[in-house]
Amino acid sequence: MNSNEFRALSPIQHGLLFHAVQDGGAYLDQVLLTLRARPEPRAFRRAWRTAFEQHEMLTMSFDWTSEATARQRPRPGAELPIDVLDPPVGDIDAWLAGEREKGFELTGAPLVRAVFARSASGEPLLLLQYSNLIMDFRSLKKVLNAVARLYAGGDAGPATTRTYREYVDWWEQRGPAGDEDVTFWRELLSGHEPPSLSAIAGARTTATGSPPVPGLLETPAADTSAHLDRIAAACGISRETALQGAWHLLLGRYTGSRDVVLGSTDVHRPLGAAYDAIGPMTLTLPVRQHIRPEASVAGWLRGYQETRDESWRHASLPLPEIQRLCPGIGGNELIQSAVVFEELRPAELAPELGITGIRYESRPHFPLTVIARDGEEFRLRLVYRPGVFDATMMRQLLAHLRAMVAEMAADPARPVGSIDVLSERERAQILRWGRGPAIRTPAPTIHEAISRALARSPERVAVLDGTGEITRAELESRSNQLARHLMDQGVRPGGAVGVLVKRSRELPVILLAIMKCGAAFVPFDGGFPDQRLQLMTADAGIELVVSDSAHWGRFAGVRVVYVDRDREAVSAHGTSAPGVPVQGTDLAYLIYTSGSTGRPKGVEVMHRGTLALLRDLGERIGLGEGTTWAAGANAACDLCVVDLFMPLLFGGRVTVLPDDVVVDGVRLGEELTRREATHHQATPSGWRLLMEAGWRAPGSLTGVVGGEALSGDLADDLARAGVRPLWNVYGPTEASVWATIEEVGAARPVPIGRRVGDADLYVLDDLGRPSPVGVPGELCIGGIALARGYRNLPERTRERFRDHPLAADPPGRLYWTGDRARWLPEGKLEFLGRDDGQVKVRGYRIELGEIEAVLRLCPGVNDVAVLVSENEARQRSLTACVVGDAGPAPDPGELRRFLQDRLAPYMVPDRYLHLDAMPLTHNAKRDLRALAALGAAAERAGDAQPPQTPLERQVAQLVEDVLHVRGVGRLEDLGRYGLRSLESMRVAARISRTWPVSVTVHSILSNPTIADVSSAVQSAMK
């Protein structure tokens, strides 16, 4: 075999070459030596020439473009490049970064060079820079020792007995991996789905282009070294395992996963422990160990050592082959973090060179790498991708690693789950952020506080709509009359009264009247099917409903007071307050939300928490006597409590917007302007309607946005439209409407902010421990803001309203929201999404499980999964994936009609996808990734005939832009693509801007196809 012919690469080299080509600085090492005296350059080069002759691996060049596979070959006669710098080096870090940028031309040789320099204080410096393709740090130390002896006039020392070619040949000759190794890795990694490191605060998508220089943190850690010694002695394990186990547990804490895989790095010696060839032989293998909170630290670490050792006994599979045995990782890296131990002892390295100091800079490609450097002093180093991770978060992570090691060393017999890495200062700060003083309210109940407020300036207008107005005195007297009438009809303290009326100025009269009876109001949506109304009425124990003639006959077997027909009977009552004693802990209202069992659940909300919220929120956003609040929230949603009551507490007035106005962006904007609104509250979907209609605030308008996550794009649009200030609010019904508030500024994503009202906020892990700053956890809420629980659902109440693990005065309760959040360093909360099957769509809270449970009742349906998706404009919609029962599933129209009779309109899926079988993971669980891919790629049911006329093509383009879809057929039902009332408003508005015609929303919804909408436009043109 010719000495300079091309040869194969080892699997390690294949991986190194890939990363070196992608990022020229990856796996390029720098060793900076501080010397007593500078070596003579020519003699130093001669010593290296001998080393090149003895170790051809040092002269390898690489080719990866001319053949199907990458190759390497030696370049005999290679000389060590040496640069000599005369000016002293001031900034060592900047100098090293500049030298790294020079990199190497991998097709040339040698891939090592030297630089002689001096420090600012005059000390001689020697920099050796080399590619890991030709040697690792272990090899560099061997070579440098030999070169130093040669330079001093001696020989190179003991010759290596084996060559790197033998190592490559071993990989080539091993053939296919043995069944035992394949079985081991497949079983070890079965079902593993790597937790995303993006869960760590500061993580973001890496920018495209050249990879950034890695971030680097390093700290002396002598105490950590001593702790590792104690752990190793107590548990019978190595120091390396102790540190890797601690890092493993910490990443589990930070990512919220108990299934973590870390990289274990060591020298791979398949040809025997004495194998000492020069070349890259440092291998990284995955180690998977489930975190068991109940296990003792010592027992878990011993198990970790056993798993680590067993992994290395099956090191005959290269990492790419191992990764292919783990299909659950998708496009992610199997190993996202590794722990490396390095020995740096100047006294043991090339004594002939007079080394007084050593600095070693490596650049691993993993997103996060912990490097323990054991030398004259023990140091911990964290290398991270700065395009992915925030430096502040990395400093906290390194500090918590040291805390984790210290806690493990203090008591190895303690359970793993009892370890808390938070310092007392950190813990106190986090708890302080989430708590605050109780809000002082003017009365114990909502209606009493409003009555006192109405007594001030009684002649002023309190509530108005498009047809009339009610003064503050009239609101008080009329609500008293209605309360007396309802009591005559049998309403008693502690009861529940249903409410179903059109939105008008009468609504506050009705709600206040019910509370003055000592009862709780239960608001209904007129869009609910009768079956759902009957279910809610029975569940709440409602014996009387307040309604109007528009909803005549919808409540069978229940007494109904029609406020329009019974007006004379109501006005016959006295105008003084009925004087029913009501406490702050009594129920003010029940709000029904979606339930995972297939039935809605009623949240029982007390006066005191809601009143504290109204008081605090109103002060924050600047309500007063000169303010006008435009109320557009659905009466069946708890946003209406803020809309109708909060302005009255502060002397402002409420202008009630009709139902048909709040879904029409153009008309809504006109009404906000005409009614001179100073404040308006809506979901992001509602605000987006205004933006798409081209609305701009004529003056100053204070906006409140909540119910869904607020995107930065929408926040920017609202600011440009003159909505200032804009307040982002968050909260579940179980915590009395809103629990947090944030004045929107430049921060993106938009935080949900700090506590509002009497809601105490906590971010906890699954063991009930406070999560560190930036670490995701479940958002939990305590304090008097909490609802009483769920009507007639004691088990569900105990599941969500649990004993408070951090209560200062137990017993307390804590509501587990199911929402993911994290504390930001400035003490604000960031919302991260749901942790279960509950989602928000168009501002409505929906349990996907409820839709699935009802859909399974449909004849012909065997299994179903409901998915939520988000389009380019961040608008959400629902897709039902249906498996038929012993045959094809019912068609989409039949499924839609079945659900429309049983669910609220906003819960009916927009699209239906028929499947032969539900895709499953290796663990026999639903494969959500596969379902999402199927939903995105599947053709919608319907006739895909393309538009035929120029007008149809124009209309199709317009509709597709609104719905953010493509390829809609001219006869397809647009409802399958998500056309609802809000979207039809946008279509109508765009039609008006495109052609000088007006097409009604009713005509679009009644005939929702491209062909029919085009026909409507054509008719309007005539």
Side-chain angles (χ1 to χ4, degrees):
M1 180 182 290
N2 295 330
S3 61
N4 63 345
E5 69 181 11
F6 281 109
R7 303 171 190 175
L9 274 63
S10 71
I12 294 175
Q13 287 179 299
H14 275 290
L16 293 171
L17 181 61
F18 170 79
H19 292 293
V21 171
Q22 294 291 106
D23 171 9
Y27 293 106
L28 187 155
D29 285 0
Q30 294 176 310
V31 178
L32 180 62
L33 306 175
T34 304
L35 310 175
R36 295 191 182 92
R38 175 186 288 181
E40 198 284 316
R42 285 178 295 180
F44 193 67
R45 182 180 283 115
R46 283 196 300 271
W48 272 93
R49 185 182 304 143
T50 302
F52 287 161
E53 292 170 353
Q54 292 180 342
H55 306 290
E56 68 173 6
M57 193 62 211
L58 299 177
T59 69
M60 287 293 179
S61 63
F62 296 83
D63 174 70
W64 62 91
T65 59
S66 58
E67 298 290 336
T69 185
R71 304 175 299 172
Q72 62 182 333
R73 69 174 175 180
R75 295 292 182 92
E79 293 280 352
L80 176 72
I82 298 178
D83 293 335
V84 180
L85 301 182
D86 289 328
V89 176
D91 188 337
I92 296 292
D93 291 338
W95 173 53
L96 290 177
E99 292 296 328
R100 181 181 291 277
E101 282 295 316
K102 296 177 182 179
F104 288 106
E105 178 57 55
L106 300 181
T107 57
L111 301 183
V112 57
R113 64 188 187 89
V115 182
F116 290 121
R118 289 189 181 278
S119 68
S121 59
E123 295 173 303
L125 302 175
L126 168 59
L127 172 64
L128 293 172
Q129 183 163 292
Y130 59 94
S131 169
N132 286 159
L133 280 164
I134 61 170
M135 60 179 164
D136 48 24
F137 186 55
R138 170 197 61 88
S139 299
L140 182 278
K141 289 189 286 187
K142 288 179 176 292
V143 171
L144 190 58
N145 281 331
V147 166
R149 287 191 291 268
L150 289 168
Y151 175 78
D155 58 29
T160 55
T161 58
R162 314 295 285 267
T163 67
Y164 195 76
R165 180 186 293 186
E166 293 176 273
Y167 182 63
V168 175
D169 289 344
W170 178 86
W171 282 105
E172 290 281 300
Q173 295 167 8
R174 70 181 176 88
D179 291 341
E180 181 182 349
D181 287 344
V182 171
T183 299
F184 169 79
W185 288 111
R186 180 175 284 126
E187 290 180 352
L188 179 70
L189 301 173
S190 175
H192 176 64
E193 295 184 6
S196 174
L197 294 184
S198 65
I200 298 176
R204 54 195 182 275
T205 302
T206 305
T208 57
S210 300
V213 176
L216 176 64
L217 295 171
E218 185 169 329
T219 181
D223 56 338
T224 301
S225 180
H227 293 325
L228 292 174
D229 287 337
R230 283 197 289 273
I231 295 172
C235 303
I237 59 174
S238 68
R239 283 163 50 89
E240 291 87 345
T241 297
L243 182 63
Q244 186 165 5
W247 183 242
H248 192 112
L249 292 175
L250 186 61
L251 282 190
R253 178 79 183 274
Y254 266 62
T255 61
S257 174
R258 296 185 183 178
D259 184 8
V260 178
V261 168
L262 285 186
S264 172
T265 301
D266 207 340
V267 178
H268 182 223
R269 291 190 172 96
L271 299 175
Y275 186 78
D276 59 352
I278 301 301
M281 295 172 58
T282 302
L283 190 64
T284 301
L285 291 177
V287 176
R288 182 188 187 188
Q289 182 82 346
H290 287 274
I291 298 172
R292 295 181 293 112
E294 72 284 358
S296 69
V297 169
W300 188 83
L301 284 175
R302 282 192 286 268
Y304 198 95
Q305 177 84 63
E306 293 172 3
T307 302
R308 184 176 182 271
D309 293 345
E310 187 68 14
S311 295
W312 278 98
R313 282 193 287 272
H314 295 85
S316 65
L317 252 65
L319 185 57
E321 291 185 27
I322 295 174
Q323 184 154 317
R324 282 194 288 271
L325 297 175
C326 186
I329 66 174
N332 299 315
E333 297 174 87
L334 174 59
I335 299 176
Q336 301 183 69
S337 184
V339 177
V340 180
F341 257 79
E342 298 170 349
E343 289 192 3
L344 295 176
R345 302 181 189 278
E348 299 175 4
L349 182 64
E352 296 83 355
L353 294 181
I355 299 173
T356 60
I358 179 172
R359 175 173 172 175
Y360 172 46
E361 299 292 339
S362 58
R363 186 161 163 178
H365 82 279
F366 301 114
L368 276 175
T369 304
V370 173
I371 300 175
R373 296 201 158 159
D374 211 353
E376 293 182 343
E377 68 171 346
F378 185 84
R379 302 181 70 85
L380 280 177
R381 168 175 282 206
L382 183 60
V383 184
Y384 62 93
R385 293 180 186 172
V388 178
F389 301 105
D390 173 72
T392 301
M393 193 63 189
M394 294 300 97
R395 283 191 287 272
Q396 175 181 291
L397 191 61
L398 190 56
H400 284 167
L401 173 60
R402 299 181 65 185
M404 177 69 77
V405 173
E407 289 291 310
M408 295 167 69
D411 183 9
R414 70 187 299 183
V416 166
S418 69
I419 297 176
D420 192 351
V421 296
L422 289 177
S423 67
E424 286 301 320
R425 181 189 62 80
E426 288 176 307
R427 183 184 178 89
Q429 180 187 60
I430 288 172
L431 295 180
R432 185 170 62 252
W433 284 343
R435 295 171 177 169
I439 304 300
R440 298 185 63 181
T441 58
T445 64
I446 298 171
H447 58 277
E448 287 182 76
I450 291 178
S451 291
R452 295 183 185 183
L454 294 178
R456 299 187 295 269
S457 303
E459 75 287 350
R460 296 173 61 89
V461 173
V463 188
L464 67 157
D465 56 18
T467 61
E469 60 188 33
I470 301 175
T471 67
R472 300 171 70 81
E474 290 171 337
L475 177 58
E476 175 67 8
S477 61
R478 289 185 55 190
S479 61
N480 289 338
Q481 288 178 313
L482 180 57
R484 291 179 177 277
H485 182 72
L486 294 178
M487 292 170 66
D488 281 352
Q489 299 298 312
V491 174
R492 293 290 180 266
V497 178
V499 179
L500 179 57
V501 295
K502 294 197 302 182
R503 187 162 39 222
S504 73
R505 66 183 184 277
E506 298 297 326
L507 189 55
V509 176
I510 297 169
L511 303 185
L512 287 172
I514 294 171
M515 290 188 290
K516 289 180 177 183
C517 297
F521 63 84
V522 186
F524 297 135
D525 187 329
F528 288 169
D530 289 349
Q531 181 176 338
R532 189 176 183 86
L533 289 177
Q534 293 164 9
L535 178 63
M536 294 163 64
T537 300
D539 183 71
I542 292 172
E543 296 181 353
L544 184 143
V545 173
V546 179
S547 188
D548 54 27
S549 299
H551 300 96
W552 180 268
R554 297 199 65 183
F555 294 93
V558 178
R559 284 173 296 153
V560 181
V561 171
Y562 292 99
V563 289
D564 48 356
R565 295 190 175 209
D566 299 339
R567 193 178 306 277
E568 289 187 10
V570 172
S571 62
H573 290 277
T575 59
S576 61
V580 177
V582 184
Q583 305 300 317
T585 53
D586 289 334
L587 296 186
Y589 57 90
L590 276 77
I591 295 288
Y592 275 84
T593 65
S594 176
S596 59
T597 60
R599 55 176 285 188
K601 58 181 185 291
V603 184
E604 300 176 320
V605 184
M606 295 177 282
H607 282 268
R608 62 180 188 177
T610 303
L611 183 56
L613 178 276
L614 299 178
R615 184 72 182 179
D616 193 18
L617 179 60
E619 289 183 353
R620 301 274 194 102
I621 67 175
L623 285 179
E625 290 190 357
T627 55
T628 298
W629 185 284
N634 189 310
C637 173
D638 59 355
L639 274 68
C640 80
V641 175
V642 174
D643 267 4
L644 300 178
F645 297 150
M646 189 170 70
L648 301 177
L649 281 175
F650 291 87
R653 64 179 185 174
V654 178
T655 178
V656 181
L657 302 171
D659 294 328
D660 56 347
V661 166
V662 295
V663 296
D664 185 331
V666 174
R667 294 181 62 195
L668 176 58
E670 292 172 349
E671 288 298 307
L672 291 177
T673 301
R674 186 177 69 84
R675 302 191 188 195
E676 299 180 342
T678 61
H679 293 73
H680 181 55
Q681 170 185 250
T683 65
S685 297
W687 283 110
R688 195 173 287 114
L689 269 179
L690 283 169
M691 296 302 95
E692 294 195 354
W695 173 82
R696 294 293 181 269
S700 176
L701 179 75
T702 297
V704 178
V705 56
E708 298 169 325
L710 172 62
S711 70
D713 291 343
L714 179 57
D716 293 339
D717 289 343
L718 290 170
R720 285 190 289 269
V723 181
R724 298 188 188 93
L726 177 65
W727 298 89
N728 187 33
V729 289
Y730 157 89
T733 301
E734 289 84 347
S736 304
V737 194
W738 304 129
T740 73
I741 186 170
E742 166 77 359
E743 183 174 359
V744 178
R748 300 292 184 269
V750 180
I752 58 174
R754 297 182 169 92
R755 73 190 295 267
V756 66
D758 270 330
D760 294 337
L761 309 173
Y762 305 88
V763 178
L764 305 180
D765 66 12
D766 59 349
L767 298 178
R769 301 172 298 186
S771 293
V773 173
V775 176
E778 186 167 348
L779 180 53
C780 301
I781 303 176
I784 69 171
L786 291 192
R788 182 181 295 174
Y790 301 114
R791 176 63 60 102
N792 300 325
L793 293 173
E795 292 185 5
R796 181 67 168 170
T797 298
R798 285 191 294 270
E799 175 189 344
R800 284 297 189 183
F801 295 83
R802 307 177 199 169
D803 289 341
H804 197 326
L806 305 171
D809 299 310
R813 295 189 309 152
L814 205 59
Y815 172 66
W816 293 68
T817 67
D819 289 331
R820 303 281 289 172
R822 61 181 165 206
W823 287 111
L824 299 176
E826 63 270 26
K828 297 178 181 179
L829 284 169
E830 180 184 354
F831 177 76
L832 301 174
R834 288 294 298 173
D835 203 22
D836 55 18
Q838 193 179 93
V839 298
K840 281 281 187 78
V841 177
R842 301 184 185 94
Y844 293 99
R845 197 169 81 179
I846 296 173
E847 293 271 6
L848 298 180
E850 179 179 5
I851 305 174
E852 294 172 354
V854 174
L855 201 48
R856 287 192 182 96
L857 300 175
C858 181
V861 172
N862 176 267
D863 198 8
V864 63
V866 177
L867 314 174
V868 62
S869 58
E870 192 170 81
N871 61 20
E872 297 174 357
R874 301 187 178 181
Q875 296 168 322
R876 290 183 156 195
S877 60
L878 299 173
T879 298
C881 301
V882 182
V883 178
D885 187 5
D891 64 53
E894 185 178 347
L895 294 171
R896 181 186 295 276
R897 288 188 293 273
F898 183 86
L899 293 178
Q900 285 174 334
D901 291 338
R902 292 161 176 81
L903 296 176
Y906 58 81
M907 298 176 67
V908 178
D910 306 280
R911 305 176 192 88
Y912 299 83
L913 174 63
H914 289 156
L915 304 178
D916 294 330
M918 197 64 66
L920 303 176
T921 66
H922 292 82
N923 294 334
K925 298 179 180 178
R926 284 184 186 172
D927 191 335
L928 298 181
R929 291 179 180 174
L931 282 170
L934 286 171
E939 293 181 359
R940 272 60 165 193
D943 189 343
Q945 179 183 357
Q948 295 180 345
T949 68
L951 178 60
E952 285 188 354
R953 286 190 285 272
Q954 282 184 280
V955 170
Q957 180 68 52
L958 182 151
V959 170
E960 289 172 351
D961 287 345
V962 170
L963 300 179
H964 298 280
V965 297
R966 289 292 178 265
V968 178
R970 65 185 298 270
L971 300 179
E972 287 189 87
D973 183 350
L974 297 176
R976 295 169 182 157
Y977 290 90
L979 182 77
R980 295 291 184 87
S981 57
L982 298 181
E983 291 77 14
S984 64
M985 290 295 100
R986 296 169 187 154
V987 171
R990 294 200 181 190
I991 287 174
S992 297
R993 291 199 296 270
T994 306
W995 296 281
V997 299
S998 177
V999 175
T1000 67
V1001 172
H1002 176 75
S1003 66
I1004 295 173
L1005 290 176
S1006 299
N1007 302 287
T1009 69
I1010 297 297
D1012 289 332
V1013 174
S1014 300
S1015 178
V1017 172
Q1018 186 69 50
S1019 299
M1021 288 180 177
K1022 297 177 181 179

